Amino acid sequence: MTKTIPTLLKALLKGTLAAAALLGSLGALAQNGKTEVLWLGQAAVRITTPGGKVIVVDPWLRSNPKTPASFKSLEALGKVDLVLVTHAHFDHFADAPDLAKLHKIPMYGPAGMNQTVATLGILPVEQVPRFGKGGTIEPFGPKSVKITATHAEHSSELAWKNPATNKDEVHVGGEPVGFIIELENGFKIYHMGDTGLFGDMKFIGEYYKPDLLLIPIGGHFVMSPVDAAYAVKHYLKPKYALPIHYGTIPQLKGTTAEFSAALGGESGKMLVVNPGEKVEF
């Protein structure tokens, strides 16, 4: 028997609803994936979100003495969807422009730094969107990853070799920041960048409630292990703290053993990984 128009419409609607349900299920599966944090030495990390987005923060890889040989090539990182840079110092900025060029993706960073990057022609202006402390971006659209820039107690000069003169120059690099990275499932990672201890970390802990800290412990240019432990215990109070930014140069002599000792009864929060190793949540 030939189906009537209403019957055909009902069948089409039923098929559409079934397809929508399937897509919704696949979306839910993506949202329920794992969070992966791969540490690559100094402050360089690759974060894979539950929805499958890949964010690389402070990529200094090719000349980083602590980066494993298997990650010395930028291509070894695989797919990358976004680059974040906390400030303009070489050990955070060095490979960021080339990584952004490789994948044709934006490099987000402090507004002043990205203004200089665009002005010098290091990257085209469309690849260096600007935002500042307290600003929040949703680089993959609404209801996805949210990234907020926070205060960091440090500096941010941009050293650059002028290709026209072959001379080294130092340019304004804006103000340093940290990043609160809120993932699709609500898990919050606080990449602290380079910073000394400051009182408003208490506000950051109370307001943003980070689950995981990527926290510098090397001393000299950043917090010492004792300072970092104080921030964990009294200000930020995260579920986990992964120490970074130590052991690459003689001045960064803070150790994970010192950090653990200073944490005392909260040492169970510390996650110790070697460069090239990852943790999952």
Side-chain angles (χ1 to χ4, degrees):
M1 181 185 292
T2 304
K3 291 185 179 180
T4 63
I5 295 297
T7 304
L8 286 170
L9 288 173
K10 285 179 182 178
L12 286 170
L13 179 61
K14 185 176 179 181
T16 301
L17 290 172
L22 177 59
L23 288 173
S25 298
L26 291 173
L29 286 171
Q31 296 294 319
N32 292 328
K34 291 182 179 179
T35 298
E36 178 189 284
V37 178
L38 171 69
W39 183 44
L40 292 166
Q42 202 73 335
V45 295
R46 185 187 72 188
I47 299 168
T48 304
T49 79
K53 297 298 184 183
V54 179
I55 302 168
V56 176
V57 188
D58 286 356
W60 174 42
L61 306 171
R62 291 177 289 192
S63 62
N64 185 336
K66 293 295 183 179
T67 299
S70 56
F71 287 101
K72 291 289 189 183
S73 163
L74 300 185
E75 288 82 1
L77 290 171
K79 180 192 81 146
V80 179
D81 298 296
L82 183 71
V83 178
L84 295 175
V85 179
T86 60
H87 63 290
H89 290 163
F90 180 83
D91 57 326
H92 299 254
F93 177 86
D95 292 318
D98 283 348
L99 189 61
K101 288 176 185 176
L102 177 65
H103 293 279
K104 299 178 175 60
I105 55 175
M107 181 191 83
Y108 274 93
M113 181 191 79
N114 276 12
Q115 182 72 57
T116 298
V117 169
T119 301
L120 294 174
I122 297 171
L123 279 174
V125 66
E126 61 270 18
Q127 282 188 269
V128 280
R130 302 162 63 243
F131 79 131
K133 297 176 185 180
T136 298
I137 59 171
E138 294 180 298
F140 310 121
K143 297 183 180 179
S144 185
V145 178
K146 293 197 298 186
I147 302 167
T148 302
T150 68
H151 180 74
E153 195 62 44
H154 197 58
S155 62
S156 184
E157 308 81 21
L158 176 61
W160 178 68
K161 185 178 287 293
N162 188 327
T165 63
N166 203 36
K167 291 183 178 179
D168 292 328
E169 299 175 357
V170 176
H171 293 268
V172 173
E175 293 191 7
V177 300
F179 294 115
I180 299 287
I181 305 168
E182 183 176 352
L183 307 182
E184 299 95 336
N185 59 0
F187 190 84
K188 294 179 183 177
I189 300 171
Y190 179 17
H191 191 301
M192 302 180 72
D194 277 5
T195 188
L197 191 64
F198 59 92
D200 277 352
M201 284 182 185
K202 187 173 188 295
F203 163 75
I204 292 171
E206 291 173 350
Y207 189 72
Y208 295 107
K209 297 179 174 58
D211 296 292
L212 168 66
L213 302 184
L214 302 173
I215 185 167
I217 68 163
H220 194 80
F221 295 109
V222 297
M223 289 185 289
S224 68
V226 172
D227 289 345
Y230 190 93
V232 168
K233 292 191 293 183
H234 300 289
Y235 288 166
L236 295 163
K237 302 180 181 179
K239 294 175 184 174
Y240 313 103
L242 195 160
I244 62 172
H245 207 278
Y246 65 93
T248 46
I249 58 175
Q251 295 97 322
L252 298 176
K253 58 186 179 182
T255 66
T256 55
E258 292 169 328
F259 185 43
S260 178
L263 283 171
E266 297 195 36
S267 61
K269 292 183 175 182
M270 184 178 72
L271 304 174
V272 179
V273 299
N274 296 312
E277 295 177 348
K278 62 187 178 183
V279 289
E280 293 183 337
F281 304 93

